[in-house]
Amino acid sequence: MQKKAGPLFYVFLAVFVFFVMFPFLWILLSSIKPLSELFGDKAFNWFTSHPTLKSYVSVFVNYPFLRYLWNSTVVATITTVYTVFVAAFAAYAIARLEFKGKAVILGIVLAVSMFPQIATISPIYMFVKKFGLTNSYLGLIIPYTTFALPLSIWLLVTFFRKIPFDLEEAAKMDGATPMQTYFKVILPLAVPGVFTTSILVFIAAWNEFLFALTINTAEKYKTVPVGIAMFQGQYTIPWGEISAATVIVTIPLVIMVLLFQRRIVSGLTSGSVKE
Amino acid sequence: MKKEASMRNEKRTERILGYSLVAPAMLLILAVAIWPVIQSFYYSLFDYRLNDPTKSSIHLNYSLDLEGYLQNYPFLKSSLKREMATADENAKEKLSDVEQKLQKMDKTIRANEEVANRYDQVDEALNNFESPSDDIKIVELDKQAANQFTDAVHDVVKTLEQMRDAGELKQPDKVVGLAQGLKDVIIEPNFVGLKHYKDSLSDMRLWKALWNTTVFTVISVAAELVLGLAIALLINKAFFGRGLVRATILIPWAIPTAVSALMWKFLYDGQNGIVAKYFEDIGLVNRMGDLLTTDIGAMFAVIFADVWKTTPYMALLLLAGLQTIPSSLYEAASIDGATKWQQFTKITLPLLKSSILVALLFRTLDAFRVFDLIFVLTGGGPANSTETISILAYKVMFSQTNFGSGSALAVIVFICVAIISIIYIKLLGADLLSDSAKR
């Protein structure tokens, strides 16, 4: 349905984009306002005449924000690398090899990805507490497996299935074992799929809130979402700092999304569309 | 024949390879996801509270806390001795009766060799001012012994209290206090069966939370579907700046929900929130403050924030579905004189059905499990008007530290999610899991 777009269409598009981006825009504008303009009658002015970076400085000086960023990076990276590694083998087997019970296995994977986190949290909390893993990176990486692994398997299976079967047949004819076929033929072709899966798993782990909130309560081990959410004190909410912190975490995301949008979209839609 | 055998052999190795490649992932899933759910159910059958030492773990049987026992019994014994030294005849008799009872009780406990062994270990640890580990200090008792113990302690406490009231003791508070300390050393089994479910299901707060969750899920998912479909239909064409629009769409989806919730909290703020002000200006709310302080306002605020965050995502999923519909179908339809609306209902919707259902399935489940957004934006307030079932379960587990009752709520969430999934999967048929590699 490749119709041409008229001028009215672009007006609609601009309005749509504006609505979607408005909250970010406002946060960005607020983050450079001096404290006095965040409250009172000047609160609704779009642009400040006294832009300042005070809030940005405060985020790093008065809060262990760098530490939060580091914690999130470590936890999300390790979770991604290890789950994608484990999932790649399983997904290859499910997508490419003949054995009984594949549908059941895939069904279990899908079912587990639908589990509500709250239903697993009490035993997991008791487990990490018993082994002294609260306030540690491992204490989050283990529970993150619950959503990261099913997600990786599910995405990788769809990517592996898209690789033409003829290649495998040809490798087999040439006498390659299934493992040789996997490493020499399939895996190189699956690199884009593995990459896409990694991005999505990374984002999911980066954004996780409930486990991070309950397991890593010490300031030193908080992740970004929990850290920012806990900026709000009992009586006051430091909106300037919150705005600045939000901008800081959004910018890398914007860059990532701009760079990898095609891949992210293909990953998001891979499970839902039957080609 | 030989070839057939080698084929069979090859099939076998392939099968073995298949299972061994899947095994690590499946074992992990079993350990970190399936086992915890089963355990949640198990926890939900117990009166399991972290803030109560006698209920802070699961006890199927009666047991005795040797640490507590040995922190009381020896001191009680020596105190009784001291009392006896100065008491008159009548009181002495009572005290020796008490002493005998206690000694008999102590003997019964030590009758079992294993228990006696642990008894000594704990005693030694306490003498060295160490605190013995749980594995050592808790010993199981049979029900009869536990009841005997409780009865004996009860008698002792009663006698000593009577003596205290009669003024027959020199250090009444100490003696009675030590005796009463013995009351807490028997740990009763905290198995309660389905009591938590019964209590939860008869508690209005659960039904309110379920209702809130349902309202949130139905309204937000419906709005997201309609808006998402409209946007998908409109941008399903070639236009300049496609990539940029796609990136814009992805940003709300990509930022952490907790962060976006906080952002909306700022925008909704009753005094300084720009969105709250605009809503007041266009008459959506009476006063800016209503947005986060009234029941309906808060629910609306939460739903609006969710729609903002996930409509773009919904649009993307549906757009991908739309792009798989061959344009020749529309051309043929317009040649046959079908109107746009007819094309939409006769071609687009039927062919988009499975995409829509899959998108709805994932969105419904996500909405039903909602936690971060509401936890940060309203905390379930005002007056629990946006408290969803996950928030309620979290509060019971971690604010009231009542893991038993909280786990029961978690299991209820799990069952609801299972029911929703089953309904959708029935509608979708086996489509979702079909092995498309076989085509």
Side-chain angles (χ1 to χ4, degrees), chain A residues 10 98 100 119 146 232 261, chain B residues 14 19 32 40 240 246 265:
Chain A
Y10 284 103
E98 270 313 321
K100 272 196 202 116
T146 49
Q232 33 183 339
Q261 35 138 327
Chain B
E14 186 171 325
Y19 287 128
V32 297
S40 275
F240 179 73
R246 195 154 52 181
K265 195 171 176 170

Side-chain angles (χ1 to χ4, degrees), chain A residues 75-87 108-115 117 120 124 127-128 133 137-154 201-202 204-206 208 211-212 215, chain B residues 23-36:
Chain A
V75 170
T77 309
I78 298 178
T79 304
T80 307
V81 170
Y82 121 85
T83 51
V84 171
F85 179 79
V86 174
I108 293 173
V109 170
L110 186 67
V112 169
S113 72
M114 293 172 188
F115 279 10
Q117 269 184 336
T120 57
I124 286 181
F127 171 84
V128 293
L133 294 173
Y137 294 138
L138 201 59
L140 287 187
I141 293 164
I142 294 170
Y144 282 11
T145 315
T146 49
F147 60 85
L149 194 58
L151 178 66
S152 316
I153 296 178
W154 185 252
V201 172
F202 185 89
W206 180 274
E208 201 284 330
F211 285 131
I215 292 170
Chain B
M26 292 315 282
L27 286 177
L28 267 173
I29 286 180
L30 192 71
V32 297
I34 296 172
W35 179 240

Side-chain angles (χ1 to χ4, degrees), chain A residues 1-3 5 9-10 12-13 16-17 19-24 26-27 30 38-40 43-44 46 82 86 89-90 92-93 95 97-100 102 105-108 110 112-116 118-126 142 145-146 149 153-154 161 165 172 178-179 200 203 207 209-210 213-214 225 228-229 232 237 239 242-243 246 250 253-254 257-258 261-262 264-265 268-269 272-275, chain B residues 10 14-15 17-19 21-22 25-26 28-29 32-34 36-37 39-40 43 48 50 231 234-240 243 245-256 258-259 262-267 269 271-275 277-278 288 308 313 316-317 320-321 324 327 355 358 361-362 365 369 371-372 375-376 390 393-394 397-398 403 407 410 413-414 417 421 431-437 439:
Chain A
M1 202 164 59
Q2 300 288 313
K3 282 173 294 189
F9 173 78
Y10 284 103
F12 158 77
L13 212 60
F16 170 67
V17 169
F19 268 109
V20 172
M21 294 307 285
F22 175 75
F24 292 110
W26 190 257
I27 292 290
S30 299
L38 283 171
F39 307 97
F44 305 116
W46 279 64
Y82 121 85
V86 174
F89 291 106
Y92 168 68
L97 300 179
E98 270 313 321
F99 58 95
K100 272 196 202 116
K102 273 159 66 170
I105 290 172
L106 208 51
I108 293 173
L110 186 67
V112 169
S113 72
M114 293 172 188
F115 279 10
I118 197 88
T120 57
I121 191 136
S122 57
I124 286 181
Y125 177 76
M126 293 314 292
I142 294 170
T145 315
T146 49
L149 194 58
I153 296 178
W154 185 252
R161 276 180 182 164
F165 274 77
K172 216 186 229 170
M179 275 332 266
L200 292 179
I203 292 178
N207 292 356
F209 186 72
L210 181 56
L213 177 74
T214 47
I228 296 185
Q232 33 183 339
I237 308 183
W239 288 125
I242 288 173
S243 305
T246 304
T250 310
L253 274 172
V254 172
V257 160
L258 279 174
Q261 35 138 327
R262 244 169 237 287
I264 295 174
V265 172
L268 285 179
T269 54
S272 67
V273 182
K274 293 270 151 195
E275 281 131 284
Chain B
E10 207 173 276
E14 186 171 325
R15 201 169 62 227
L17 182 69
Y19 287 128
L21 287 179
V22 170
M26 292 315 282
L28 267 173
I29 286 180
V32 297
I34 296 172
V37 169
Q39 259 190 315
S40 275
Y43 285 0
Y48 184 18
L50 292 190
I231 292 163
L234 280 163
I235 61 176
N236 183 24
K237 53 183 83 174
F239 62 86
F240 179 73
V245 171
R246 195 154 52 181
T248 322
I249 278 177
L250 281 172
I251 293 168
W253 166 83
I255 72 161
V259 174
L262 205 55
M263 199 162 83
W264 280 101
K265 195 171 176 170
F266 179 45
L267 300 172
D269 190 86
Q271 266 123 44
N272 315 300
I274 184 82
V275 171
K277 181 175 182 292
Y278 288 160
M288 280 170 68
W308 170 80
Y313 167 71
L316 272 180
L317 289 189
T324 61
S327 53
S355 286
V358 172
L361 165 66
F362 287 115
L365 291 180
R369 299 180 286 194
F371 179 82
D372 325 8
F375 184 80
V376 176
S390 291
Y394 172 84
M397 271 191 258
F398 292 98
F403 268 46
S407 296
V413 182
F414 182 81
V417 164
S421 323
D431 236 25
L432 206 58
L433 292 178
S434 69
D435 194 349
S436 54
R439 280 175 302 166

